[in-house]
Amino acid sequence: MDWTIAAGLDRMVDARHADSFAVELWHHPKAQLLVVSERGHVALRAPGKLTFTRPTGEYRPESDVFVGEWQGSPIFVRVVADDAAIAAAFQASCPVKITGLRPVLDAFDDEVQVAFVAAAIGRWSGMAKFCSRCGTALTPACGGNMRKCGNCRLEHFPRTDPAIIVAVTDADDRILLGRQPVWEPKRMSVLAGYVEAGESAEQAVHRELAEEVGLHGLTDVRYFASQPWPFPRSLMLAYTAHCPHPDQLAPDTAEIETARWFTRADFTAAVESNELLQPSKHSVAYRLIHTWLKR
Ligand SMILES: [Zn+2]
């Protein structure tokens, strides 16, 4: 999935402000419905294939969100509480696998962008039921893409948390890869972390590398690309950077179980021998690593 070109999903942002818009599209002959849980779980009809169904009954603004037009079909997401509620939405004759997206990402093609929107909307819906300022229950608007507080008038939109991810290389053009203790065995990747309040993304790159692996004085911190990462609601801002002092490497083992410098030959051998699992092919981490590998 190339996240740097125009999206295949047309969100129709201007049109969705009209009150009647979502209702009309709900009854469109090509409309399709995805069911997603408040944890971002979806139903798959086959590996990498979302289960779309025809919308039936009346449009329910409290749970049905219009997310855009995909391949000529208006797409709605119905947000339900949990896996059991997803299962209940399907007939017994329609076998589906209900899962979070992260373990099954690599089976997807470009439909992953629809899956990411669905997961993001599902998680936001579960966490945005009440006004964060006054506690009043919120009312959906704009086809479910925003919520309004009827008491203090505050408008609530799906949130995205910025995070940085960075491919650090040294004078010998080795790349730094590490792993978090919570990851599956053998998984390694470039390092990442959230941007703090009042901080620039570049400042976060310097801070995270210092905190997590003891590397100070990075140079040539350059923007690379971005991608959505709805686990739970990140926007990954990818950078490259140069480390003039690779011998400073000292992982903070509470956050980073291990970290080391890889030459291209090291990396290729580790992947081929199955000692190292790469990030998902749909992740910007994969693109960072493979851009380094090819240059
Ligand atoms: Zn309020």
Side-chain angles (χ1 to χ4, degrees):
M1 173 67 204
D2 184 352
W3 296 101
T4 66
I5 60 173
L9 185 77
D10 179 359
R11 293 167 187 258
M12 305 173 83
V13 173
D14 289 338
R16 73 189 187 197
H17 290 289
D19 289 341
S20 60
F21 176 71
V23 180
E24 287 169 13
L25 284 181
W26 181 261
H27 296 291
H28 188 286
K30 294 184 75 175
Q32 297 286 331
L33 179 66
L34 279 173
V35 182
V36 62
S37 77
E38 292 178 356
R39 292 186 61 197
H41 288 196
V42 296
L44 302 179
R45 59 185 165 84
K49 298 292 179 189
L50 296 165
T51 306
F52 292 95
T53 58
R54 288 277 302 133
T56 56
E58 293 302 307
Y59 174 68
R60 303 193 324 221
E62 68 279 7
S63 62
D64 300 331
V65 180
F66 171 73
V67 296
E69 186 181 278
W70 170 253
Q71 297 178 345
S73 290
I75 305 295
F76 288 84
V77 166
R78 173 163 288 173
V79 182
V80 299
D82 50 25
D83 287 3
I86 296 177
F90 293 96
Q91 304 292 331
S93 59
C94 177
V96 294
K97 174 184 170 73
I98 297 167
T99 177
L101 290 173
R102 215 165 169 171
V104 298
L105 265 190
D106 278 359
F108 276 89
D109 56 19
D110 282 359
E111 200 172 272
V112 70
Q113 58 191 302
V114 180
F116 271 17
V117 176
I121 291 292
R123 286 179 180 272
W124 172 67
S125 296
M127 292 190 288
K129 296 179 180 179
F130 300 93
C131 179
S132 56
R133 183 157 63 190
C134 76
T136 302
L138 299 176
T139 305
C142 296
N145 287 281
M146 59 103 67
R147 293 180 176 178
K148 288 181 177 172
C149 175
N151 180 45
C152 75
R153 302 288 169 195
L154 191 63
E155 296 180 339
H156 299 256
F157 294 89
R159 307 311 308 171
T160 298
D161 296 333
I164 56 90
I165 185 163
V166 54
V168 181
T169 50
D170 71 358
D172 296 327
D173 213 14
R174 297 180 300 171
I175 195 169
L176 178 66
L177 300 180
R179 60 171 277 108
Q180 295 178 18
V182 296
W183 289 354
E184 65 185 303
K186 301 182 183 177
R187 177 82 68 198
M188 292 192 84
S189 186
V190 288
L191 301 187
Y194 286 109
V195 179
E196 296 256 315
E199 183 179 52
S200 74
E202 289 81 357
Q203 288 174 331
V205 168
H206 288 285
R207 178 182 52 76
E208 284 286 346
L209 268 289
E211 285 177 1
E212 293 193 343
V213 288
L215 296 182
H216 297 263
L218 297 183
T219 61
D220 301 315
V221 177
R222 298 220 171 98
Y223 178 72
F224 176 78
S226 74
Q227 75 159 135
W229 196 245
F231 309 108
R233 58 180 195 184
S234 298
L235 173 68
M236 304 305 297
L237 304 169
Y239 286 81
T240 57
H242 174 70
C243 175
H245 308 294
D247 294 342
Q248 289 177 341
L249 185 63
D252 169 1
T253 51
E255 287 200 54
I256 298 295
E257 186 178 285
T258 183
R260 55 168 280 210
W261 297 99
F262 284 80
T263 65
R264 291 179 180 81
D266 292 338
F267 178 80
T268 303
V271 169
E272 287 177 355
S273 65
N274 212 24
E275 290 168 29
L276 186 156
L277 284 179
Q278 303 189 64
S280 164
K281 69 180 185 184
H282 291 302
S283 69
V284 76
Y286 183 94
R287 283 193 60 210
L288 279 167
I289 293 169
H290 282 256
T291 299
W292 161 78
L293 202 55
K294 290 172 190 161
R295 78 183 177 204

